[in-house]
Amino acid sequence: FIWMDNWVPSSTVSSCKRCQTPFNFFNRKHHCRLCGQVFCGKCTSNKKVLPEEYGWGSIPQKICLQCKEVIDGKHRINTARKDSVVAPPPKASGPKIDKGVDDMIMMPTITEQTILDNLRKRYDNDIIYTYIGHVLISVNPFKHIKDLYSERTLLDYRAKYIYEMAPHTYMIAEISFRDMIRETKNQCIIISGESGAGKTEASKTIMTYISIISGKENNTSVSNIKDVILDSNPLLEAFGNAKTIRNNNSSRFGKYMEIQFSASGSPKGGTITNYLLEKSRIVYQTQEERNFHIFYQIIEGMTPDMQREFGIPSITPNSFHYLNQSNCFKVNTIDDLKDFNDTCDAMATMKISEGDQKAIFKLVLCILYLGNLTFEASAKKEDTSCVKNKDVLQIVADLFECDPNFVEQGLITRTVQSGTARGSTYTVPLDVSGAEYVRDAFAKALYSRLFDFIVKKINEQLHIIDDDIAEKLYRTIGVLDIYGFEIFEKNGFEQLCINYVNERLQQIFIELTLKAEQEEYLSEKIQWEQINYFNNKICCDLIDGKKPPGILALLDDNCNFPKGTDATFLERLAKDLSAHKHFHVPPKQIGTTFTIKHYAGDVVYDSDGFCDKNKDLLFNSLIQLGKTSNSPLIQGLFPEKLGKDNKKAPTTAGFKIKESISVLVTNLSKCSPHYIRCIKPNDKKLANSYNVDLVLHQVKYLGLYENVRVRRAGFAYRHLYTKFFYRYRVVSDNTWPTFSQPTNFRAGCEEILKSLDLSSSPASEIAYGATKIFIRKPEIIFILEEQRERRVWPYAIRIQNFFKRYVGRTRYYSELQNSGYLIMKAGGKERRRNSFERTFKSDYVSFSENKILQAIIERYGEDRALFSDNVWVYNVKGSRVRRILTLTNQAIYFFAILERDPNPKKGAPSHPGESTFFGITRRLTLDSLSGFSLGKLADNFLVIHVASQHDHIVQCRRKTELFATLKLAKEIPINFSEKINVNMKLNKNKSVVKVISFTSAENAPDGGSLDPKTFLVSSPPGTVPTAAPSIRASRVGRK
């Protein structure tokens, strides 16, 4: 806001800015809430509501008569310079581009068509993010959008409120992080949508933002946790992502990542829980799809030394049965060699030793060669088999670090335990098809257990603290990235599990955003317009129900019978569920399919293979084969205890997914949820292509229309009277520090709103329930938050300054003052009389309160601000401009207030309500400085000499403190002279040498002035160089 940049402290002003009338008891001071200057009552207008872009909401504010003319449209403010008023700009020619609205709650009419149109307008303008209240809608652009995820953009969202910036995943991350710190409650971000809608990218941007903006504790532990958070993405993507028809980098597993934070916001630990790895992809992929990325990465990254060490020939993806079935080996958007190097770096971050890395690569290659094993019928005995290609068997055995005979026996036989004779086991030979089935099952089991091992290594480095003390002290942010809803040509057991998970997540969304919304209004006795919506609990019960049993329960029952088959399972479904309105099974003679009417649409499932996949059994012979390996890594993947005493029945895959999702839902229910709903604009992964029918289908099943209607019909904010009162009581003098009715919290809430002239809002905007206050428009909360921050911030700064001044910095400033005195004394420089005994403070521009300047400096690494002040900088013509000089432990920064482009380029981030911004005009690293030059008289001029660059002429009132502080960071030569040669910048390619000379004059202004023609600096007489400040005066100043 303009007034924030130009705000003039009233204590520094003695007369009206406009009429110059002196202020006194009768002629009071009035701050203009637009330009920040101080005026008398005659030069100030009555209170009026300012336009929204000035940031004051609907609260009437006092402004000066000059700014009143600006508001009335007679002039406009030129924010590049203070107090300047220029003619209004000419109106832009041509039609205005309609970019839609940021928040669809604010649309004039709400229909499915208007939602589609709004998303289309924004998509066509490369604006992929839109809000529905606090729910973020993301449309996958299938292309790179400049600056959408740049570091500058990321830092722009730091410490901002949702109404200040355009919709973005960074804002959802900022809100969740800020709410965690402020409300001390766990947060979760649920990312949902179809495969290819951009969920993985959204998850990565969330984790990137949190890792960058979270606590700044300068210790190894916090830094390591951040590295693990960031590097876990390429590692998990390598082993868990693959190219599908719909997405080149599709997550083929579900992931819930929790990060644990201290009260100050520093990451302390975390954990990753994985769900539903698509094991079937290991052995088969459809056309135009690939296996998991790691297989292609290893082949691309294989060096001759690795080949010799692993004992394998030169290989290509086409060499392996598990990779060549789909005829897809390369992806235009994926660089497998680069990704392999990133994977190796990520393994190092996870403290996976080089030995374990080699063991992992050997096991991945072993799985590939397993797929190349072929079998033939044995000539010795009927219905038996043997390995046909012994050379491949030898390679598998070498990579598996096991005897080839053990490998062969493990694949062509299975071990069965007798049900009659206790402890009796039999070895049953397998025919060719049985051996191929066992081979594929073993490959899937090896890869699945290897993936679990990778997740375990990441969790060891995250090291979540799980105890009663941690539960009280720490809070978490969880990010859920899981499969989207899937409908393929052939949908099997995996698709049923995936779609079941999405049904449960949709149920959470309904309960927490739609159903709970309406139920709360009823319980609080608030008038409410009932909104009809589809509650998908009936679909969830169809799949996971117990009484009556659902599909998964019936599948488990069928698998418990020795004669249970896919056919008997389908018969049981037809018998028990045929009357269910969301289930359909065709007559027995037609086929093996059944249909479920999901919230996202009807899906036809093929029951073929359901029983085997649900049993998820690994033969004892294969477990024993894993235990015989000489590789410690492989041995660790098979922790099972085999023996006759182990009678516990194994759990089914359906039971496991139900249990794990129930735990996930329970954990999510304990958190404050945030939602990102991802939409795929087309099925062909094309940029600038918007399929209306496809998007409409997603809008319907994601419930966006109902979500907008509920939010429009309801109240944007609601909270307990006690919570509201204690949070905002500071904004009113009648409630802070004490309130006349300390137990009547509703009356306190009314008084708070009344003090800000908000109680006069229509009854439809503010409602008082039984225990809560309801506010319809979020703008009212924005006003309250701003007013609260303005009240609280000075208290916080006052407390900080107390400790800095009286506890931590008394000695520091004393030593700093003495150091500055010695520097000037050694150079024989006269001292200015008016500032000779002033107190040092380091910060003269409220840098500690300016989050924008802090964010800019943070981009350059570990810079720490030591000194900040307003200065004048002179150019080659002797004219000067105002700048902010900030000295850090690594560089000197010069900042300017610059004007934003009113017509930003397409795709550039928007900044509503912000016409100016802070920009760097020059950054000088301390290593690049060759020295400083000063005159010997009582002036404020100094010259910064830069090696191989032009110099800087600076006028700084607090130069003594600047040089004393600089000495702490780096020893740089300081020269005192009566004449100074300055290498001034003339243009981009030329420079010219100017000579500054100094003279003393009684009538010269304090601090001196520079003649632009002669570069002669005139300054009034000062004290002698040997004069020292009195100790008594110094102490009084600090007091």
Side-chain angles (χ1 to χ4, degrees):
F1 305 125
I2 300 168
W3 61 268
M4 294 176 66
D5 298 333
N6 298 344
W7 190 263
V8 176
S10 58
S11 60
T12 63
V13 180
S14 59
S15 61
C16 174
K17 177 72 177 177
R18 188 166 184 261
C19 67
Q20 302 302 315
T21 303
F23 293 123
N24 53 42
F25 181 81
F26 299 100
N27 188 30
R28 299 298 183 92
K29 300 176 182 180
H30 298 273
H31 256 120
C32 174
R33 300 294 178 174
L34 184 55
C35 67
Q37 304 295 318
V38 183
F39 298 85
C40 66
K42 293 181 179 180
C43 297
T44 307
S45 71
N46 294 328
K47 284 188 176 181
K48 65 180 299 176
V49 177
L50 304 182
E52 289 184 2
E53 60 264 30
Y54 295 111
W56 287 102
S58 59
I59 305 175
Q61 301 293 337
K62 277 200 171 187
I63 58 176
C64 67
L65 296 179
Q66 191 177 27
C67 288
K68 183 177 182 297
E69 294 178 346
V70 175
I71 298 300
D72 293 340
K74 296 179 181 178
H75 301 86
R76 70 180 177 91
I77 287 184
N78 180 358
T79 54
R81 290 182 57 192
K82 289 187 180 181
D83 312 323
S84 59
V85 178
V86 298
K91 293 184 178 179
S93 59
K96 183 179 179 180
I97 299 175
D98 186 359
K99 298 182 180 180
V101 298
D102 284 351
D103 192 337
M104 290 194 282
I105 293 176
M106 303 302 177
M107 292 194 302
T109 58
I110 303 297
T111 64
E112 288 180 348
Q113 188 59 48
T114 57
I115 292 175
L116 283 174
D117 291 344
N118 190 65
L119 294 175
R120 175 66 177 267
K121 292 172 185 175
R122 298 175 68 78
Y123 177 79
D124 289 342
N125 286 279
D126 288 343
I127 306 173
I128 65 171
Y129 295 121
T130 310
Y131 288 132
I132 300 177
H134 281 67
V135 176
L136 180 69
I137 312 302
S138 171
V139 182
N140 192 345
F142 290 115
K143 67 178 181 181
H144 171 75
I145 298 178
K146 185 179 179 181
D147 293 330
L148 183 62
Y149 302 115
S150 68
E151 185 180 7
R152 173 70 177 268
T153 302
L154 185 150
L155 294 174
D156 280 345
Y157 280 83
R158 185 177 182 184
K160 296 293 181 62
Y161 290 102
I162 191 170
Y163 63 93
E164 294 182 274
M165 300 295 291
H168 205 292
T169 50
Y170 290 157
M171 182 51 68
I172 299 299
E174 169 66 25
I175 293 172
S176 62
F177 183 77
R178 184 168 58 233
D179 287 355
M180 178 194 67
I181 300 296
R182 186 176 64 184
E183 304 288 345
T184 63
K185 186 175 181 181
N186 295 340
Q187 310 289 312
C188 66
I189 301 173
I190 302 174
I191 307 172
S192 56
E194 288 190 6
S195 177
K199 299 185 302 300
T200 299
E201 189 67 25
S203 174
K204 287 195 291 186
T205 57
I206 291 286
M207 301 312 299
T208 300
Y209 184 90
I210 291 175
S211 65
I212 290 177
I213 63 100
S214 56
K216 295 295 180 181
E217 292 182 17
N218 189 20
N219 59 58
T220 305
S221 175
V222 170
S223 178
N224 287 343
I225 292 297
K226 291 185 176 184
D227 290 342
V228 172
I229 291 171
L230 293 177
D231 283 357
S232 64
N233 277 321
L235 185 56
L236 290 174
E237 285 185 9
F239 285 87
N241 287 27
K243 178 194 179 297
T244 65
I245 297 174
R246 298 179 175 182
N247 188 357
N248 288 346
N249 189 34
S250 176
S251 295
R252 309 317 297 162
F253 71 105
K255 175 182 69 174
Y256 184 57
M257 186 172 192
E258 289 181 286
I259 307 175
Q260 193 176 56
F261 295 88
S262 66
S264 63
S266 295
K268 292 297 182 182
T271 185
I272 293 176
T273 306
N274 59 300
Y275 305 93
L276 291 170
L277 179 70
E278 188 186 25
K279 295 185 289 186
S280 61
R281 182 167 295 271
I282 300 294
V283 300
Y284 175 75
Q285 311 89 44
T286 59
Q287 291 296 308
E288 298 305 316
E289 293 197 353
R290 294 206 314 177
N291 212 318
F292 292 102
H293 294 326
I294 188 62
F295 294 112
Y296 307 91
Q297 290 180 13
I298 287 182
I299 292 173
E300 285 294 322
M302 183 70 63
T303 64
D305 291 340
M306 292 174 65
Q307 289 180 355
R308 285 192 295 271
E309 183 176 356
F310 295 163
I312 59 175
S314 180
I315 54 176
T316 64
N318 197 37
S319 308
F320 298 101
H321 174 65
Y322 284 164
L323 302 183
N324 60 20
Q325 301 172 66
S326 64
N327 295 315
C328 180
F329 308 112
K330 293 285 186 180
V331 183
N332 293 334
T333 59
I334 294 177
D335 185 342
D336 291 315
L337 179 58
K338 175 183 175 297
D339 291 346
F340 178 70
N341 294 328
D342 292 342
T343 300
C344 294
D345 292 340
M347 286 185 177
T349 302
M350 306 307 157
K351 301 294 191 297
I352 299 177
S353 66
E354 290 187 8
D356 280 347
Q357 289 186 39
K358 291 180 181 179
I360 291 171
F361 298 151
K362 288 178 67 175
L363 182 55
V364 171
L365 291 168
C366 178
I367 293 171
L368 288 178
Y369 276 102
L370 264 176
N372 284 1
L373 287 175
T374 56
F375 301 90
E376 60 183 359
S378 176
K380 297 180 180 179
K381 191 175 182 180
E382 188 178 355
D383 293 332
T384 61
S385 60
C386 63
V387 174
K388 182 178 181 181
N389 45 353
K390 300 295 184 180
D391 55 335
V392 177
L393 177 63
Q394 184 62 53
I395 295 176
V396 171
D398 291 342
L399 294 171
F400 199 73
E401 298 187 33
C402 182
D403 186 279
N405 293 324
F406 289 168
V407 174
E408 183 176 21
Q409 288 301 310
L411 298 177
I412 64 175
T413 62
R414 58 175 294 193
T415 302
V416 179
Q417 185 168 330
S418 171
T420 54
R422 181 181 292 271
S424 299
T425 58
Y426 300 89
T427 300
V428 179
L430 300 172
D431 58 14
V432 172
S433 61
E436 290 175 345
Y437 175 84
V438 170
R439 175 200 64 190
D440 292 344
F442 192 45
K444 290 187 287 186
L446 284 174
Y447 193 85
S448 175
R449 295 180 182 218
L450 176 60
F451 186 78
D452 291 338
F453 170 81
I454 296 293
V455 174
K456 179 183 176 183
K457 298 298 288 187
I458 297 174
N459 285 335
E460 287 176 0
Q461 294 306 308
L462 287 173
H463 183 60
I464 194 167
I465 305 172
D466 188 12
D467 54 36
D468 295 337
I469 297 177
E471 189 174 347
K472 295 178 181 178
L473 296 180
Y474 298 152
R475 292 294 176 263
T476 62
I477 295 178
V479 179
L480 178 64
D481 174 17
I482 205 163
Y483 285 118
F485 196 87
E486 291 190 344
I487 305 177
F488 295 141
E489 290 185 7
K490 181 178 180 180
N491 302 288
F493 179 73
E494 294 90 346
Q495 278 67 49
L496 176 66
C497 293
I498 291 167
N499 294 341
Y500 162 66
V501 172
N502 279 270
E503 287 282 3
R504 290 297 302 270
L505 294 179
Q506 177 68 5
Q507 187 180 17
I508 294 175
F509 180 76
I510 290 172
E511 290 180 351
L512 296 181
T513 62
L514 303 180
K515 182 180 177 182
E517 182 102 5
Q518 299 193 29
E519 290 179 350
E520 184 176 30
Y521 294 138
L522 292 175
S523 65
E524 289 288 327
K525 301 178 181 179
I526 300 294
Q527 285 189 345
W528 166 253
E529 175 188 351
Q530 190 73 22
I531 301 294
N532 296 322
Y533 59 88
F534 171 64
N535 190 341
N536 74 325
K537 184 177 185 300
I538 188 172
C539 293
C540 296
D541 292 341
L542 170 65
I543 299 173
D544 66 5
K546 294 182 179 179
K547 293 182 180 180
I551 294 174
L552 293 179
L554 294 176
L555 180 60
D556 286 348
D557 288 345
N558 186 73
C559 292
N560 288 333
F561 288 98
K563 296 183 179 180
T565 63
D566 295 331
T568 58
F569 166 61
L570 194 62
E571 290 174 2
R572 184 75 182 274
L573 292 180
K575 177 183 177 183
D576 291 14
L577 301 177
S578 58
H580 199 288
K581 64 180 182 180
H582 284 269
F583 181 84
H584 173 70
V585 59
K588 182 178 179 181
Q589 64 273 16
I590 294 181
T592 60
T593 63
F594 62 91
T595 303
I596 298 177
K597 298 180 182 296
H598 289 283
Y599 77 95
D602 296 356
V603 181
V604 178
Y605 295 97
D606 193 327
S607 63
D608 183 32
F610 261 59
C611 289
D612 283 341
K613 292 175 181 178
N614 185 52
K615 291 176 182 177
D616 196 28
L617 290 177
L618 193 63
F619 297 147
N620 288 346
S621 55
L622 295 179
I623 297 175
Q624 189 61 48
L625 175 59
K627 290 180 174 293
T628 59
S629 171
N630 292 323
S631 168
L633 172 69
I634 296 176
Q635 289 181 10
L637 300 182
F638 295 89
E640 295 94 337
K641 294 182 180 180
L642 299 178
K644 61 182 181 180
D645 296 332
N646 185 17
K647 295 293 183 179
K648 185 178 179 180
T651 56
T652 62
F655 177 82
K656 291 175 183 176
I657 191 61
K658 279 198 300 181
E659 289 298 304
S660 59
I661 294 304
S662 295
V663 172
L664 173 64
V665 169
T666 301
N667 291 336
L668 293 177
S669 301
K670 294 178 182 178
C671 302
S672 294
H674 307 268
Y675 295 96
I676 300 177
R677 314 287 267 175
C678 298
I679 289 178
K680 179 173 58 178
N682 62 80
D683 269 329
K684 300 180 180 179
K685 296 179 282 189
L686 296 176
N688 306 315
S689 175
Y690 190 89
N691 186 320
V692 175
D693 293 335
L694 179 63
V695 176
L696 176 61
H697 172 67
Q698 295 170 83
V699 166
K700 285 182 176 180
Y701 82 68
L702 289 173
L704 301 189
Y705 175 54
E706 289 81 5
N707 191 202
V708 177
R709 290 177 62 205
V710 169
R711 296 295 296 181
R712 274 285 290 269
F715 294 84
Y717 173 92
R718 77 290 312 273
H719 228 318
L720 293 170
Y721 289 128
T722 53
K723 292 278 189 181
F724 184 91
F725 175 79
Y726 283 120
R727 178 159 188 81
Y728 299 114
R729 63 174 177 162
V730 71
V731 307
S732 172
D733 294 334
N734 296 329
T735 55
W736 175 262
T738 58
F739 181 50
S740 58
Q741 304 177 56
T743 59
N744 191 342
F745 294 107
R746 171 172 174 168
C749 296
E750 292 175 349
E751 185 61 40
I752 291 169
L753 295 173
K754 181 180 178 182
S755 67
L756 297 178
D757 294 332
L758 296 173
S759 58
S760 59
S761 301
S764 59
E765 302 298 331
I766 299 177
Y768 297 93
T771 62
K772 295 180 179 180
I773 182 172
F774 292 79
I775 298 175
R776 188 179 303 277
K777 288 188 175 181
E779 290 85 352
I780 296 178
I781 298 302
F782 301 157
I783 294 169
L784 287 166
E785 283 292 334
E786 286 184 5
Q787 294 296 324
R788 179 183 181 276
E789 194 160 314
R790 291 184 191 131
R791 288 290 193 100
V792 171
W793 194 259
Y795 296 141
I797 296 301
R798 217 175 290 173
I799 294 171
Q800 287 180 358
N801 288 341
F802 172 82
F803 279 97
K804 289 178 180 178
R805 182 173 297 176
Y806 292 98
V807 181
R809 293 198 173 183
T810 300
R811 182 176 178 183
Y812 168 78
Y813 282 126
S814 177
E815 294 177 351
L816 199 65
Q817 196 170 26
N818 185 57
S819 175
Y821 159 70
L822 294 176
I823 291 173
M824 297 304 166
K825 179 182 177 181
K829 186 173 179 63
E830 294 181 4
R831 305 297 301 279
R832 290 168 48 234
R833 298 180 186 276
N834 294 339
S835 64
F836 184 50
E837 293 179 336
R838 70 171 186 83
T839 305
F840 286 6
K841 294 195 306 182
S842 296
D843 185 2
Y844 299 94
V845 296
S846 299
F847 181 88
S848 59
E849 303 174 31
N850 196 318
K851 299 294 184 184
I852 300 174
L853 290 182
Q854 294 176 20
I856 293 174
I857 287 181
E858 285 173 2
R859 299 172 190 168
Y860 293 93
E862 300 298 326
D863 277 21
R864 179 168 51 87
L866 304 175
F867 173 85
S868 292
D869 194 9
N870 288 301
V871 299
W872 293 103
V873 175
Y874 290 79
N875 62 15
V876 69
K877 296 181 180 180
S879 59
R880 65 181 188 175
V881 290
R882 197 72 165 173
R883 294 289 183 262
I884 295 174
L885 182 149
T886 298
L887 169 67
T888 72
N889 56 321
Q890 296 183 9
I892 294 177
Y893 294 81
F894 289 94
F895 296 103
I897 299 175
L898 306 175
E899 191 171 12
R900 288 197 185 279
D901 185 354
N903 300 305
K905 294 180 180 179
K906 181 179 178 181
S910 61
H911 301 269
E914 295 185 18
S915 56
T916 61
F917 67 98
F918 286 103
I920 295 179
T921 58
R922 198 173 186 189
R923 179 179 185 266
L924 304 172
T925 62
L926 299 186
D927 292 335
S928 69
L929 304 184
S930 59
F932 292 85
S933 292
L934 293 87
K936 292 190 174 185
L937 301 181
D939 59 88
N940 289 331
F941 285 81
L942 61 98
V943 177
I944 305 176
H945 300 287
V946 189
S948 303
Q949 298 182 40
H950 66 274
D951 300 333
H952 242 38
I953 301 177
V954 179
Q955 187 179 6
C956 177
R957 291 178 57 201
R958 301 172 178 91
K959 61 190 176 304
T960 303
E961 183 175 355
L962 170 63
F963 286 117
T965 308
L966 176 66
K967 187 176 180 181
L968 299 176
K970 187 178 179 63
E971 287 282 356
I972 299 177
I974 303 175
N975 178 50
F976 295 84
S977 177
E978 296 178 355
K979 289 188 177 182
I980 303 174
N981 292 332
V982 187
N983 183 29
M984 301 293 290
K985 181 180 180 181
L986 187 61
N987 52 43
K988 289 185 178 181
N989 302 317
K990 294 182 180 181
S991 60
V992 63
V993 176
K994 294 284 187 178
V995 179
I996 300 178
S997 55
F998 300 87
T999 185
S1000 180
E1002 287 289 349
N1003 59 347
D1006 183 39
S1009 62
L1010 183 141
D1011 188 320
K1013 295 182 179 179
T1014 62
F1015 273 66
L1016 175 66
V1017 174
S1018 302
S1019 60
T1023 64
V1024 295
T1026 56
S1030 66
I1031 298 176
R1032 181 177 179 275
S1034 180
R1035 287 178 176 171
V1036 171
R1038 281 196 298 272
K1039 184 176 180 180

